[in-house]
């Protein structure tokens, strides 16, 4: 068989993920805060992009497309869109709701919803269809139509021209809370004047975990590391266990509680016996506790009260890390005329423009091919980013609108009316792929009249109804189980079998092991433990 070279023509269909489409998909799964950081990086790299610091003047289109087409040009307005054609007047195709604010000649990215309406598409091309990646030959148009005004310098806009006039003292604005290490180091220097003991104490401080415990502590290993005796390490550890806050430097829960009880002079033999059998206290086995400690029920109740006043994680009192608040990406509110109104959060949505006037100026001054190619590439990238931002906003509103429509009963009546929902239900309703819906609902939060929820919260599995009835949401069933357990009486504690019987009478076909799984996931004790706890409080 002879080997030879030849040319063949072959035709095949392939799916190519262009860089532009990859960017659009990436933007879709970012939250508004992450999107703002991404836009900031793009503005640093692209001289044709700029932030829109306020409302544009009427009659101008500062972010219009270069070719005068219908591509969106920027993000502005109450929800972050301006002059981009994004307007969902209502799910029934009409605007019968009240005005949302003073008219400024711009469209809003607001969806007005009613429970029975159907949504009309607010964009002609959904995100999971390919964008057209072919740009016209007029890429170097003069941009005179609707070009944005070039801003002046910072000083010309009323800002300071330098730092000479800044009389504020930056150091005066700095403040910090005393952390646990500093608090313990101060006590160490006072109680242990010997420098060798201080060195051992600093090593012990460095070994503390976030709760203030010495988990897995080995005195012999630390002694070998520091070149001293294990007895000296134990002596320094005993001195450190007297530091504030009480319970610090404990090696176990038992020791942590014992240190605090010794501080309060409550570590008697009966209490020590109770600390040796904390598993009985966790199981609320009152008869066994009375037998081990040699006391009556009244004494056990007093001992339990003393233990509940203790802090098992003393170091957390010095944890000054502020809680991270969730910033919603979508704002939902009731429409006075009925239904719901949905907006993208204007406080976190980036507002970006393409400076066409600056593009026209530098494109006219470009002399060589490399400069022209760079300017063209930056201009195409800027336009594509604006278009992707517009498409992202449209897609998020579509998905959020359909979620609210599907879960309308939840927003009206509460979690007990949450219905089963999967990604496919939303995807089929809005004509998009499940992967697109999954990206939209990832790390996106919606502020509602019932609180702030992640969009993923509204997707729950289904539990079959009894006798062929409609299925029920797993989240609603869990809520029903918790409600029944919270309302039970001490003399009539509901077992898992009894819960199954009640749920089936309500039309919910559920197995006993499923009830037990839901109960354990909500950290609810068994019926025996709950009965002991309720009887002990009587």
């Amino acid at each position: 068989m002879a080997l030879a070279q030849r040319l063949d023509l072959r035709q095949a269909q392939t799916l190519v993920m262009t860089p532009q489409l990859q960017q659009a998909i990436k933007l879709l799964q970012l939250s508004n805060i992450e999107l703002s950081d991404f836009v900031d990086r793009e503005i640093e790299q692209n001289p044709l992009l700029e932030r829109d610091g306020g409302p544009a003047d009427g009659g101008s289109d500062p972010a219009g497309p270069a070719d005068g087409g219908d591509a969106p040009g920027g993000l502005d307005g109450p929800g972050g869109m301006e002059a981009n054609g994004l307007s969902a007047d209502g799910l029934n195709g009409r605007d019968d709701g009240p005005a949302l604010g003073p008219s400024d000649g711009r469209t809003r990215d607001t969806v007005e919803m009613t429970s029975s309406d159907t949504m009309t598409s607010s964009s002609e091309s959904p995100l999971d269809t390919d964008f057209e990646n072919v740009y016209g030959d007029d890429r170097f148009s003069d941009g005179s139509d609707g070009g944005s005004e070039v801003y002046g310098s910072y000083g010309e806009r009323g800002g300071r021209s330098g730092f000479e006039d800044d009389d504020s003292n930056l150091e005066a604005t700095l403040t910090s809370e005393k952390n646990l290490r500093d608090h313990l180091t101060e006590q160490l220097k006072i109680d242990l004047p010997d420098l060798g003991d201080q060195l051992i104490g600093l090593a012990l401080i460095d070994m503390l975990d976030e709760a203030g415990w010495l988990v897995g502590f080995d005195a012999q290993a630390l002694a070998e590391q520091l070149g001293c005796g294990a007895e000296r390490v134990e002596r320094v550890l005993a001195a450190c266990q007297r530091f504030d806050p009480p319970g610090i430097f404990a090696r176990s829960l038992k020791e942590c509680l014992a240190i605090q009880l010794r501080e309060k002079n409550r570590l008697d033999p009966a209490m020590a016996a109770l600390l040796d059998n904390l598993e009985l206290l966790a199981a609320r086995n009152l008869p066994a506790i009375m037998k081990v400690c040699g006391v009556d029920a009244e004494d056990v109740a007093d001992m339990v009260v003393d233990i509940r006043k203790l802090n098992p994680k003393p170091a957390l009192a010095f944890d000054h890390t502020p809680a991270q608040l969730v910033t919603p990406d979508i704002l939902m509110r009731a429409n006075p005329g009925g239904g719901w109104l949905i907006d993208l959060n204007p406080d976190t949505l980036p507002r970006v423009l393409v400076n066409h006037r600056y593009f026209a100026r530098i494109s006219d001054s470009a002399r060589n091919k490399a400069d022209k190619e760079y300017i063209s590439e930056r201009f195409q990238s800027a336009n594509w980013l604006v278009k992707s931002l517009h498409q992202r906003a449209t897609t998020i509103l579509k998905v959020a609108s359909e979620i609210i429509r599907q879960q309308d009963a939840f927003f009206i009546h509460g979690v007990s009316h949450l219905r089963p929902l999967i990604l496919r239900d939303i995807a089929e309703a809005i004509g998009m792929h499940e992967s697109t819906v999954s990206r939209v609902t990832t790390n996106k939060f919606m502020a509602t009249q019932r609180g702030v929820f992640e969009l993923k919260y509204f997707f729950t599995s289904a539990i079959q109804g009894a006798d062929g009835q409609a299925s029920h949401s797993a989240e609603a069933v869990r809520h029903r189980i918790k409600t029944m357990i919270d309302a039970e009486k001490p003399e009539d504690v509901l077992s898992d079998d009894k819960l199954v019987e009640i749920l089936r009478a309500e039309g919910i076909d559920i197995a006993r092991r499923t009830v037990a799984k839901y109960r354990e996931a909500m950290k609810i004790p068994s019926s025996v433990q709950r009965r002991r706890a309720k009887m002990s409080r009587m």
Side-chain angles (χ1 to χ4, degrees), residues 90-92 94 96 112-118 335 337-340 405 408:
L91 300 184
N92 54 1
R94 51 189 169 83
D96 54 359
E112 181 181 343
M113 304 184 61
T114 59
S115 301
S116 58
D117 291 333
T118 56
N335 186 359
W340 311 98
R405 189 196 322 281
D408 182 68

Side-chain angles (χ1 to χ4, degrees), residues 381-421:
S381 176
N383 274 332
W384 185 266
L385 176 61
V386 171
K387 185 176 182 180
S388 299
L389 292 174
H390 167 81
Q391 190 63 53
R392 173 186 180 273
T394 304
T395 308
I396 291 176
L397 284 178
K398 276 188 177 181
V399 173
S401 301
E402 186 60 30
I403 290 176
I404 294 174
R405 189 196 322 281
Q406 298 272 6
Q407 300 290 2
D408 182 68
F410 163 78
F411 297 107
I412 297 176
H413 303 291
V415 68
S416 60
H417 289 75
L418 191 68
R419 56 169 294 185
L421 189 65

Side-chain angles (χ1 to χ4, degrees), residues 21 124 267 285-286 320 332 334 375 388 396 405 422 466:
L21 187 57
E124 296 180 357
L267 190 60
N285 193 340
L286 183 60
H320 302 291
M332 169 191 168
I375 297 171
S388 299
I396 291 176
R405 189 196 322 281
I422 58 176

